[in-house]
Amino acid sequence: MNRLVWRWVGVAALVMAVGCGTDEATSAHVEALIPSGSNAAFVSSTIPTSMFPGERLDVSVTMRNTGTADPANTWTLSSPQYAFFRTGATSFGVSYDVLESTTTTGNTTTFNFVLTAPTTPGTYTFQGQMGAVGTLTRFGDVVSIGSINVSSSNPRRWGCTFVAGSSTIPSTMGPGENRSITVAVQNSGTATWTPASSFFLYSRDSPLGLWNNINRQLTSPVAPGATATFSFAITAPTTPGTYNLRRQMFLNGTVGFFDTATPCVDASITVGGSAALNSSFVSNTLPATLAPGEVRSVTVTVQNTGTQNWATDGTFFLYSVNSPVGLYGTINDPMDAATNSGSNHTFTFNITAPAAGSYAQRWQMFRSGTGFFGPILNVPLTVSTSSTPSRNAAVSSQSIPSVMTAGEPAIFTITMQNTGSAAWTGSTFGIYSRNSPLSLWGVNQQFLGSAESVAAGATRTFTLSVTAPATPGTYSSSWQMIESGVAFFGATASFTPITVTLCGNGTVDAGEQCDDNNLTAGDGCSATCTVETISIDLATAGAPDRTLVQASTNHQLASVAIGDVTNDGVVEVIVADATHVVPTTGSARNAAGVVYGYTGGASFFTNASTTVPTSAAFRVLGATTNDRLGNATTGAFIGIGDVTGDGVSDLIVSAANADGVGDARTDAGETYILTGGAGLTGDIDLGATTPPAALAATIVGAAAGDKAILLAVGDLTGDSIADLVLGAPFADANGVDSGVVYIVTGGPSLTGTIDLSAPTVTVRQIVGETAGSSLGLAAAVGNFTGSSTNDLLIGNRHYTSGGLSRRGAAFAYAGPITADSTATPASATFSWLGLTQNDNFGCAVAIGNVVGTSAADVVIGAYQQRRGAQQVGAVDVWDGTNLSSASATVTFLGADAFDNAGTALSLGDMNGDGFLDIPVASGLADGPSNARSNAGEVVVYFGAAALSGTVDLLTTPGRVLVSGAAANDGAGLHPPGIAFRDIDGNGRADLCIGSFQGGATTGGRVDCIESTF
C-alpha cells in the first residue's frame, strides 16, 4: 500500500473542509454524495489492546463493501473519495485513511495507517466507520476496539534511548566549524531494527539542516537491547550561540518517528569563538579546459584560518568532493609540510580529464577522524575533444618478438609520437615500464637526453635492450610515456602475447604444453611448444599413411582390428568387407563377406593406397550367401586373443546373418574361432566341405533372429585364458528383442560347434530387462576395479527407464565372472544412465586409464547426447577412482547438431605419455567447413591427469582431426570401425578408421595413420 495517501487531518481542519463558509443548502448537497444502499461490514483489525504512552504503530482495518448494488454502491477513489474515519475520541491522533483501490460490493479492502497512543496512561477505545471525504455522513459497521490499555509498563515495540557514554558529540564548536561525530542509540523496544526496512537516525532540529546533516541510514540489524552507532559530520552554525542537536529514530514508510514529541538525542552545543579547524582558498592552477584523458599537474594553495596547526602526521588532506570521488583520478593529496594557523600550504597533484562534457572541480580540506572542514573550492571545467592536450602520445610502431628463449637478451623497439601541444624537452621525459613487476624485462625505463627535445607532431624511437624472464610462460610488454614528477600520459604501447619457452630441449618444461624437437608447426606441437591440432583430410592424396580400399561398388569395407594373430612378432591389420562376393568353383556366395589380414610393422606405412585383396597375408571367406562376415553395421567386432589356451592369440570373427547349423536358424548368427599361428595364411574358406584346419570352433546363436555377434575378448574368469563376450541383441529372453550378453569361457574345450541354446562350455548370461532394450550391442573388457581380474562393461543404448525412451545405459560387472548362471542389469556392480530421451548412451564403450591416477577409467559414447537443445553426441569418462559419481569426470561434446559424436571408441597411447588417448568418432559430421554431409570425423583427445569438466569440440579442437574423404562416407560411424594400437612397433598407438561407404565406388575403405606425435 502507498502510505503517502494517509491524511493527517485534525478535527478542526475536517470541519473547515465541509462547513466553513457554506449554508444549509450547500451542506445538504454535499451529504447527497453518499448513495442510498451503501453499507459496510467490519472484517478484521490489527489494532492492539496494549500500547506504550505516545507509541506509534502501523495497524490495519479490513472492511467489506456490503452495499446493495453495483456500480451505484461501489467504493471509488474520487467523486466521492471513500475513506475509513475515526469516529470516537481524538486520543489516537488519526482522522481518516482514504481508499486506495476501487472496491465493488461483496469485496474487501484494507486500510493501513499509523496509530499514535495517548501520552497519558489509561484505558481507551478506538472507533471508526466508513464514509467519504468531504461529507459528514458515515455508514456501515462501527469498528470499536475497546479496552486499549496505555501504560508505561507495557513493552514498547519501537523505542530509542541515547547512549551518551558511547557518543562523541562536542559541547563547543567554532562558528562554521566542521566536525565528525558519533551518536550511539540503544534499541529500547521489542522489535529488531533491520536495514531492509529503511531505519534512519533523523534530524529533529529546527530547521532540519541546522547542523548541515539531516539523516543517517542504518546499515546493519540492531536487536532489542543492542546499540547502533552512527558516524557523520556536522557543521556548526555561523552565528555564535547555544544550539541543540536533536535526533530521533525514524522508520520510513510506516510509523515514521518513534516518538513525535521527545527526541531520542537532545544535546546542547555552544557555538562561539574561532573554529579550531578552518581554511580558505588562496589560489589554484586548476584548468578551465582539458582534452579527454589529458593528464595535468595542478596546484591549490590553502590558508589555515583555524586555531589548530595542521601537522604532517598523515591525517590532513586536500580531498576530492567530486562526484564520483575519483572523477579526476586523484582522490586526495596529503600534507607534506606543517602549516601553522594563518600560514599557507600548496598542494601539487595530477588530474586526469574524464570524457567530454562540462564538470566542476570540487576540493575541500579534510582531517582523518574529524572530517571535512572549511569551504569547498569549485572551479568549472570543460572537457572537449577539440582541445589539444599539452602532453599526449600515440604509439607509432613497435617491433617486439613474439617468441623468446628464457633468460636470453632481445631488443624491443618502440616509436612514440608527440600528439600534444607542448614539446617533450629534457631528461624528465621518457618511456617507462607499465609491466608487473616493473623490471619484468630487465630494463624499466629510457629517458630523453638532457638537451633533447621532441616537438609536437614529431616521433621518438626508444630502443630497449631487454632480457626475457627466466621462467617459461606467456607475458606482455607494456610501456607508456612519463614526465618525471608529473604523471604518465598518452597511449600505452602493449604487445601480447610474448611466449617465453625452453621449447625443443627434449623436455616439456614449465609453461610448455609439449616439446617440439624439430621447432616446426603442423606436427601437433608448435614451434612455441603449444598444442596444435593436426588436421588430416582423407580426401587429400597421401594424407593417411596407408589406405586399404575396396574398388567394387556395394561393398562395406569398414571393420578393423590390430594384433598379432600369426605369432610372428609383428601385428596384423585385419579388415572386413561384409558384402564381398566369395568366388567358388560353384555358385558365387553373394554378400558372404571376407576378412583380410595385412602384415604390419614399420613397412606397413607407405603413404600408399592398396586395393584389397592385394598383398593380403590371408583371407577368411564367409561360409554362405548373405552371412555378411565382419559386418560393421551390426556391431560385430573382429576379436584377437588367446581363447583356446595354447599361448597364441586367436582370430575371432562373426557373421550376424549366418543361419546356424544346417542353415536352420535364420539370422541366428555365428562366431568363428580361428587358431592363431602360421596356419593363418592364404584363403581360409569357412564354407568349404571340409572345415579348414585353422577353424577351432563355431559358436551358434541360440535362436533364429538373435544375430549373435562378438563384442569383446578378454580374461574374465581369472584363469589367464581369454574369454569371449558375445551379444545377441535381438534375442527374446525377456520379451521381443530384449537381448542377451553371453560370457563364453575360453580354454581347450572351445572346439567344434557350440550351440548357445545348449552350450557344452561354461556360459554366463546377462539378460536384457525389457522388450526392445536390445542388450548386446556393445561391451568392453578391462580392469577398472584394480583387482587381479578383469571386469566387464556393457553398453545398452536402447535402454528405456523413467519414461525416457532409448536414453541408454551402461552396466559394469566386477570380475571374476565364473558362475554358470543368469544375471540382469539390476545385478551390475555399477550402472550409468543417459541424461535424456534418445541419448543412445552406451552405443560404444571402452575401459582404460585416460584421466586422473593410474586406475582404469570407464568411457561411454552417447551419440545423441545434447548440448542444450542440439543433439551433438558425446563421450563421457568416469575416473576409475570415482565410478559411483553422479556425473562424468570429463565430457567430450560433439561440435555440431547431428554429428553423432561417440559412435565408435577405442583407446591407445598416441603420444607416449602413459595416458590412453580417445579418438572421438562423429560418424555423421560434415567434414571441413561442414561442406561434406555425413563424411564423418574422428578427433583424438590426449589423455591427461587434469582432464575434467566439459570439452566442447566446437570451441576446443583435439590434437588430431581426421575428416572423411567424401560426403556420406561415414568415417567412424560404427563401433567396429575404429582400431587404436601400435602397428609399426614404435611404442605409440596408430589409428585406423573405417568408412563403410568410402572409396571411389562407395565400397568402403580403412585408413591407417601413423603416430609420429
Side-chain angles (χ1 to χ4, degrees), residues 63 88 127 174 187 227 229 262 421 436 454 492 691 866 871 940 970 983:
M63 302 296 291
Q127 289 185 338
N187 181 350
T227 298
T229 300
T262 305
S421 60
S436 181
V454 180
T492 300
R866 290 161 177 77
Q871 289 184 346
V940 180
I983 296 174

Side-chain angles (χ1 to χ4, degrees), residues 789-865:
T789 308
N790 284 328
D791 311 301
L792 174 64
L793 176 64
I794 298 175
N796 190 184
R797 65 184 175 92
H798 289 179
Y799 187 80
T800 295
S801 71
L804 301 178
S805 175
R806 291 201 176 190
R807 69 189 301 182
F811 308 103
Y813 299 83
I817 299 175
T818 56
D820 183 7
S821 60
T822 300
T824 66
S827 62
T829 308
F830 298 100
S831 60
W832 301 268
L833 295 175
L835 297 175
T836 58
Q837 183 162 301
N838 293 323
D839 271 8
N840 283 276
F841 180 81
C843 63
V845 295
I847 301 171
N849 179 212
V850 176
V851 301
T853 65
S854 59
D857 311 311
V858 168
V859 186
I860 304 169
Y863 72 82
Q864 286 189 334
Q865 189 166 311

Side-chain angles (χ1 to χ4, degrees), residues 525-677:
C525 186
S526 72
T528 58
C529 284
T530 58
V531 172
E532 60 184 358
T533 298
I534 303 169
S535 294
I536 299 173
D537 189 346
L538 297 181
T540 303
D545 297 288
R546 181 75 178 273
T547 298
L548 304 173
V549 64
Q550 172 57 260
S552 302
T553 60
N554 298 320
H555 286 245
Q556 290 183 356
L557 183 69
S559 294
V560 59
I562 303 169
D564 181 11
V565 294
T566 58
N567 199 32
D568 60 356
V570 178
V571 300
E572 282 76 41
V573 177
I574 302 166
V575 297
D577 177 357
T579 57
H580 197 289
V581 177
V582 174
T584 65
T585 56
S587 298
R589 303 177 209 149
N590 291 325
V594 179
V595 173
Y596 304 93
Y598 285 86
T599 302
S603 62
F604 178 81
F605 292 109
T606 59
N607 291 308
S609 178
T610 302
T611 302
V612 296
T614 304
S615 70
F618 61 83
R619 297 193 303 175
V620 180
L621 309 179
T624 61
T625 297
N626 290 323
D627 274 5
R628 297 178 181 267
L629 185 69
N631 189 354
T633 63
T634 63
F637 279 79
I638 299 172
I640 298 172
D642 181 16
V643 297
T644 57
D646 62 356
V648 177
S649 289
D650 306 305
L651 173 65
I652 306 100
V653 292
S654 294
N657 297 86
D659 300 328
V661 179
D663 290 338
R665 295 180 192 165
T666 301
D667 293 344
E670 298 179 15
T671 296
Y672 309 97
I673 301 172
L674 301 167
T675 302

Side-chain angles (χ1 to χ4, degrees), residues 159-434:
C160 166
T161 302
F162 177 50
V163 185
S166 298
S167 302
T168 60
I169 302 174
S171 58
T172 61
M173 292 180 69
E177 181 180 358
N178 186 282
R179 185 78 64 89
S180 290
I181 67 170
T182 58
V183 176
V185 291
Q186 184 184 44
N187 181 350
S188 54
T190 61
T192 297
W193 306 345
T194 57
S197 299
S198 299
F199 284 82
F200 294 84
L201 183 70
Y202 216 98
S203 169
R204 299 306 302 272
D205 300 321
S206 181
L208 285 179
L210 174 66
W211 296 97
N212 201 28
N213 179 281
I214 295 176
N215 66 73
R216 298 296 292 179
Q217 187 172 11
L218 188 71
T219 58
S220 59
V222 181
T227 298
T229 300
F230 299 87
S231 299
F232 52 95
I234 61 173
T235 302
T238 57
T239 302
T242 300
Y243 300 87
N244 285 87
L245 175 75
R246 294 186 172 99
R247 296 291 185 271
Q248 176 61 277
M249 287 301 296
F250 183 89
L251 177 52
N252 190 34
T254 55
V255 301
F257 288 111
F258 285 10
D259 188 322
T260 59
T262 305
C264 178
V265 179
D266 192 355
S268 177
I269 303 175
T270 299
V271 177
S274 299
L277 294 175
N278 208 356
S279 65
S280 65
F281 290 100
V282 177
S283 63
N284 68 82
T285 61
L286 293 171
T289 60
L290 287 173
E294 181 178 358
V295 179
R296 183 73 63 86
S297 177
V298 298
T299 61
V300 175
T301 301
V302 186
Q303 184 179 33
N304 181 350
T305 59
T307 61
Q308 181 177 337
N309 294 338
W310 300 347
T312 56
D313 57 1
T315 62
F316 285 89
F317 300 86
L318 179 67
Y319 220 100
S320 166
V321 286
N322 298 288
S323 182
V325 172
L327 178 64
Y328 300 106
T330 297
I331 293 176
N332 63 71
D333 190 38
M335 293 274 300
D336 55 12
T339 305
N340 295 333
S341 176
S343 299
N344 295 346
H345 181 82
T346 298
F347 295 89
T348 301
F349 55 96
N350 298 324
I351 61 171
T352 302
S358 297
Y359 300 89
Q361 301 170 86
R362 293 165 51 86
W363 304 88
Q364 188 178 13
M365 287 300 298
F366 180 86
R367 184 188 181 191
S368 298
T370 302
F372 290 99
F373 62 90
I376 295 174
L377 175 65
N378 191 332
V379 177
L381 170 65
T382 299
V383 180
S384 172
T385 55
S386 62
S387 298
T388 301
S390 60
R391 294 173 179 81
N392 204 10
V395 181
S396 178
S397 65
Q398 53 182 321
S399 176
I400 295 175
S402 60
V403 180
M404 298 174 65
T405 302
E408 294 296 319
I411 299 295
F412 288 179
T413 300
I414 303 170
T415 300
M416 304 295 292
Q417 182 181 24
N418 182 351
T419 55
S421 60
W424 305 340
T425 302
S427 57
T428 59
F429 286 89
I431 197 167
Y432 205 91
S433 168
R434 301 310 301 264

Side-chain angles (χ1 to χ4, degrees), residues 716-740:
L716 287 167
T717 59
D719 61 358
S720 299
I721 299 175
D723 308 303
L724 297 96
V725 181
L726 273 63
F730 304 107
D732 302 332
N734 256 347
V736 175
D737 295 345
S738 54
V740 176

Side-chain angles (χ1 to χ4, degrees), residues 686-756:
L686 298 176
T689 304
T690 301
L695 179 62
T698 301
I699 302 175
V700 179
D706 279 7
K707 292 194 174 182
I709 53 174
L710 178 71
L711 299 179
V713 175
D715 179 18
L716 287 167
T717 59
D719 61 358
S720 299
I721 299 175
D723 308 303
L724 297 96
V725 181
L726 273 63
F730 304 107
D732 302 332
N734 256 347
V736 175
D737 295 345
S738 54
V740 176
V741 169
Y742 298 96
I743 297 95
V744 180
T745 303
S749 59
L750 286 180
T751 59
T753 299
I754 299 169
D755 190 339
L756 291 177

